[in-house]
């Protein structure tokens, strides 16, 4: 256990005893992390109506209300539990603001939120920097556009594991808990997603010759 984990465990214990200061420190200490996660997934179509700070605040209010239940069961590490609440809030907002204007199968059951333009650019940059792309020494803008196009053609489950690993920077163990699959399953899905991106990029280069 790291010193940080030790502090968190103490705060959780104190919070379970009703210590208001500990509760405030628990929730407040996750504000920046929640904001980063929400920024990754907040659809641009919601931006005129929804502010990331408001989603953070609503998530923390819901967490405060449900904290006794969490402390009794502790089904997930605390930061992943908060992430789960934030994710559900984003899904609810997406259903409310987007589904009412455009109905489709994906919107009826949005198990995966759409990849935002900003996140698509960031994820493309991560894959390019990691050496995942096999497309050679293309100009940066051209390579990013090809990777973005490949990401758009991936199955939502493949995109999601890449977002969790590269943009949210979660560990294999954390992704395992979020997706409800084994760590070996996460590694397999991650590897397959990268292979599919590489294959789509190779196909796109071949199509141009």
């Amino acid at each position: 256990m790291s010193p940080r984990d030790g502090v968190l465990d103490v705060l959780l214990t104190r919070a379970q005893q009703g210590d208001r200061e500990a509760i405030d420190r628990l929730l407040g200490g996750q504000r920046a992390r929640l904001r980063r996660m929400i920024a990754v997934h907040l659809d641009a179509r919601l931006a005129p109506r929804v502010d990331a700070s408001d989603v953070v605040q609503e998530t923390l209010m819901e967490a405060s209300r449900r904290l006794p239940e969490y402390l009794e069961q502790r089904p997930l590490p605390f930061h992943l539990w908060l992430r789960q609440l934030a994710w559900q809030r984003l899904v609810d907002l997406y259903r409310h603001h987007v589904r009412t204007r455009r109905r489709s199968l994906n919107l009826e059951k949005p198990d995966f939120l759409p990849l935002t333009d900003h996140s698509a650019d960031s994820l493309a940059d991560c894959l390019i920097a990691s050496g995942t792309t096999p497309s050679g020494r293309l100009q940066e803008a051209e390579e990013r556009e090809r990777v973005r196009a490949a990401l758009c053609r991936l199955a939502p489950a493949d995109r999601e594991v890449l977002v969790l690993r590269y943009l949210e920077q979660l560990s294999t163990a954390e992704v395992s808990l979020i997706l409800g699959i084994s760590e070996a399953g996460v590694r397999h899905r991650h590897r397959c997603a990268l292979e599919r991106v590489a294959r789509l990029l190779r196909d796109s280069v071949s199509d141009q010759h």
Side-chain angles (χ1 to χ4, degrees):
M1 178 183 294
S2 70
R4 184 175 179 178
D5 291 336
V7 171
L8 178 62
D9 197 51
V10 169
L11 289 175
L12 288 169
T13 299
R14 286 172 52 190
Q16 194 164 20
Q17 296 168 349
D19 187 324
R20 188 68 243 179
E21 179 185 358
I23 293 172
D24 290 343
R25 286 180 62 188
L26 271 175
L27 299 177
Q30 298 293 325
R31 187 178 294 272
R33 190 172 193 169
L34 273 177
R35 186 178 180 85
R36 288 193 298 271
M37 175 266 175
I38 288 165
V40 167
H41 296 283
L42 187 60
D43 194 299
R45 287 170 291 183
L46 300 181
R49 303 175 180 82
V50 178
D51 185 82
S53 297
D54 292 337
V55 182
V56 171
Q57 191 60 31
E58 291 162 2
T59 299
L60 292 176
M61 289 174 61
E62 178 70 4
S64 180
R65 185 183 71 81
R66 296 177 58 178
L67 190 60
E69 175 188 345
Y70 168 79
L71 292 171
E72 185 69 26
Q73 301 177 2
R74 299 198 192 185
L76 291 168
F78 185 66
H79 70 283
L80 293 185
W81 177 69
L82 284 178
R83 184 200 177 279
Q84 186 179 63
L85 296 181
W87 176 265
Q88 187 57 55
R89 180 60 184 153
L90 287 171
V91 168
D92 290 344
L93 288 168
Y94 186 79
R95 281 178 171 146
H96 178 71
H97 291 292
V98 179
R99 176 183 168 189
T100 54
R101 291 184 297 162
R102 178 183 171 196
R103 300 180 66 86
S104 74
L105 180 61
N106 288 337
L107 299 185
E108 292 293 337
K109 293 186 64 178
D111 298 317
F112 303 98
L113 292 173
L115 188 65
T116 68
D117 289 341
H118 173 73
S119 293
D121 285 340
S122 298
L123 184 52
D125 288 341
C126 288
L127 296 181
I128 291 168
S130 69
T132 297
T133 63
S135 49
R137 302 307 303 168
L138 297 173
Q139 292 184 353
E140 183 176 350
E142 183 183 353
E143 186 164 11
R144 175 193 279 184
E145 188 56 36
R146 289 190 181 185
V147 177
R148 277 197 56 163
L151 290 171
C152 289
R153 294 175 63 188
L154 281 182
D158 289 333
R159 279 200 304 270
E160 186 65 10
V161 75
L162 296 179
V163 168
L164 291 170
R165 292 291 285 118
Y166 289 96
L167 298 187
E168 294 195 40
Q169 298 183 343
L170 297 175
S171 68
T172 299
E174 290 169 329
V175 176
S176 170
L177 290 171
I178 290 171
L179 298 182
I181 61 178
S182 68
E183 292 186 33
V186 171
R187 287 190 289 270
H188 175 74
R189 186 178 295 183
H190 181 204
R191 182 175 64 255
C192 288
L194 293 178
E195 289 172 352
R196 287 176 184 128
V197 169
R199 184 167 60 252
L200 288 168
L201 287 168
R202 286 194 297 270
D203 292 345
S204 71
V205 172
S206 299
D207 290 343
Q208 295 181 358
H209 291 84

